[in-house]
Amino acid sequence: MRKIIQISLFYLLLFCSTSIAFAQDKKSNDPDMQFKETLYAKYKNEVRAFDRKDFDDLFFEFFQKQGDSKLTLTKEEFYTYTIKIAIYSEKLGLLYKDKKEEAQQAKQDWFSKSYAEYLSTKK
């Protein structure tokens, strides 16, 4: 009986240590990820309260400013728009369960937008 308890404990420890080792966070190559996560936390509740009109206004405002050759968005402005759009995409996934995967992909796409790439299109 004691031998079975020892073996069980050994396997339990082994299982716990391997699950911890494999559950480590992925390190992102994006140098702005911390900034994006800060903006995400800041605007999450605000954007989840948006209705469709608020989102449409935000979306079109972003594309107007992005397309204006005389205007260059600051890093904070650019990421504020992209993160707010990502949050709204996440909200749609929560509201419409059948669109959850599409919404999650859209969120990741918006989260992965890069300010450096935006600046390269402005040159």
Side-chain angles (χ1 to χ4, degrees):
M1 181 68 170
R2 184 176 174 160
K3 187 81 164 166
I4 293 172
I5 293 173
Q6 287 176 341
I7 291 172
S8 298
L9 245 126
F10 173 74
Y11 281 115
L12 179 66
L13 286 171
L14 182 65
F15 174 73
C16 290
S17 64
T18 56
S19 64
I20 291 170
F22 291 117
Q24 294 179 3
D25 290 336
K26 295 179 185 176
K27 297 294 181 190
S28 175
N29 293 338
D30 188 355
D32 297 327
M33 187 54 76
Q34 183 66 38
F35 185 59
K36 291 177 184 180
E37 289 173 356
T38 302
L39 289 174
Y40 178 84
K42 180 178 180 181
Y43 292 112
K44 183 178 178 180
N45 291 332
E46 175 188 332
V47 174
R48 285 197 174 168
F50 277 11
D51 62 8
R52 183 67 182 186
K53 183 185 179 315
D54 294 330
F55 174 71
D56 287 346
D57 292 344
L58 173 78
F59 194 76
F60 291 123
E61 181 182 337
F62 172 64
F63 278 101
Q64 283 178 334
K65 288 185 176 184
Q66 187 179 16
D68 188 351
S69 60
K70 298 174 186 156
L71 177 69
T72 302
L73 296 171
T74 65
K75 188 179 210 176
E76 184 172 357
E77 289 172 327
F78 177 79
Y79 283 135
T80 298
Y81 281 115
T82 59
I83 296 304
K84 282 183 173 183
I85 293 169
I87 295 168
Y88 193 80
S89 297
E90 179 183 50
K91 175 186 174 180
L92 291 178
L94 295 171
L95 292 174
Y96 305 105
K97 300 295 183 190
D98 59 328
K99 302 288 185 186
K100 187 174 184 174
E101 289 180 26
E102 294 172 33
Q104 194 63 22
Q105 182 61 42
K107 177 188 172 189
Q108 291 303 319
D109 291 345
W110 282 103
F111 230 90
S112 67
K113 299 283 185 191
S114 167
Y115 186 68
E117 289 175 14
Y118 162 72
L119 287 179
S120 69
T121 63
K122 286 295 191 175
K123 293 180 181 181

